[in-house]
Amino acid sequence: FICIKRCGFWFGFLFGLFQMTVYFFYSGSWILPVCGFVTGWLTNYLALKIIFRPLKPIQVGPFVMQGLFLKRQKEVSSIFARVNCMEMLHPKVIWEAILTGPYKDRFFATLRAHTIVFTENLLGGLKPFAIAGMGAYRFAAMKEDVASKVMQKLPTIIDQSYEYTNEALDMENTIRVNMQGLTPEEFEGVLHPAFQEDELTLIMVNAVVGLLVGIFQVFVIFGI
């Protein structure tokens, strides 16, 4: 977002010069608030647009024009992968969603079933002797007791698996490598939706701030 701040600064400066020129020739009281609103709107609109446009490099004289994120695809991919794996795909977040989310009952039902099957397989050829010695009812109760204890203990010990899970899945490296190999169109398709939800909010907030600054200039600085 540093690039957005820098672009916003320079766009704001250039639009400010235009606003100053207009006000110099026509000092209507509505000029500053209107220009402030338009300047605020255009500043963020253009700053957000140049992140992804143009998609492919375009030669303009000695300069090569391309969207800032697309031009830095390797660096952006690394940051995107790291942030996602730290905040959304971290094993802690994943396991919290599994153990406390809306589908936790399905997970524990699956865990119970697999634990019972595992217990039977663990006995192997001794299973008939275990049933004969314990009785079918006690044998079934024993399996249920093992499954119940596993379900009870799992949430308290699952944190011991976080480091192994990170190493085994290697999600950060997988995401980074795959994103770096995307075409400009595919890369934009992955990243842009994350910005689209807040684009209008960012633009309108800056526009309203520009409007308020214009009103402040009219009544406080110029005393109109």
Side-chain angles (χ1 to χ4, degrees), residues 1 69 74-91 93-94 166 171-176 179 191 194-195:
F1 290 101
F69 276 10
K74 287 188 176 181
E75 296 91 329
V76 173
S77 297
S78 297
I79 296 171
F80 182 85
R82 183 167 62 253
V83 170
N84 271 277
C85 290
M86 288 177 62
E87 298 184 4
M88 290 182 287
L89 298 177
H90 189 278
V93 177
I94 295 173
N166 268 330
M171 286 188 290
E172 181 177 339
N173 187 54
T174 301
I175 294 172
R176 177 183 59 80
M179 285 194 67
L191 285 182
F195 289 82

Side-chain angles (χ1 to χ4, degrees), residues 121-133:
N121 292 338
L122 190 65
L123 290 171
L126 298 176
K127 180 181 175 181
F129 299 101
I131 295 176

Side-chain angles (χ1 to χ4, degrees), residues 154-166:
L154 181 66
T156 66
I157 62 173
I158 196 62
D159 60 305
Q160 303 299 316
S161 70
Y162 292 168
E163 185 177 351
Y164 168 77
T165 303
N166 268 330

Side-chain angles (χ1 to χ4, degrees), residues 14-149:
L14 294 174
F15 290 140
L17 292 178
F18 173 77
Q19 173 184 328
M20 182 178 66
T21 304
V22 172
Y23 191 75
F24 180 79
F25 290 102
Y26 180 76
S27 56
S29 59
W30 59 271
I31 290 293
L32 294 177
V34 171
C35 284
F37 181 87
V38 174
T39 298
W41 189 86
L42 282 175
T43 296
N44 268 18
Y45 176 80
L46 292 176
L48 288 168
K49 282 298 178 184
I50 65 173
I51 292 176
F52 296 107
R53 294 292 184 274
L55 282 177
K56 295 182 179 180
I58 298 176
Q59 190 78 34
V60 181
F63 303 103
V64 177
M65 309 294 289
Q66 190 179 19
L68 295 176
F69 276 10
L70 298 160
K71 195 173 184 178
R72 297 168 176 81
Q73 184 168 340
K74 287 188 176 181
E75 296 91 329
V76 173
S77 297
S78 297
I79 296 171
F80 182 85
R82 183 167 62 253
V83 170
N84 271 277
C85 290
M86 288 177 62
E87 298 184 4
M88 290 182 287
L89 298 177
H90 189 278
K92 181 180 179 181
V93 177
I94 295 173
W95 274 109
E96 283 180 354
I98 292 173
L99 297 174
T100 62
Y103 300 106
K104 64 179 180 180
D105 292 338
R106 294 185 185 180
F107 169 75
F108 281 111
T110 303
L111 178 63
R112 171 189 167 277
H114 280 281
T115 303
I116 289 174
V117 172
F118 175 79
T119 304
E120 290 183 347
N121 292 338
L122 190 65
L123 290 171
L126 298 176
K127 180 181 175 181
F129 299 101
I131 295 176
M134 300 175 64
Y137 178 80
R138 289 182 61 193
F139 181 73
M142 180 270 295
K143 292 188 294 181
E144 289 290 350
D145 186 52
V146 171
S148 177
K149 283 184 168 56

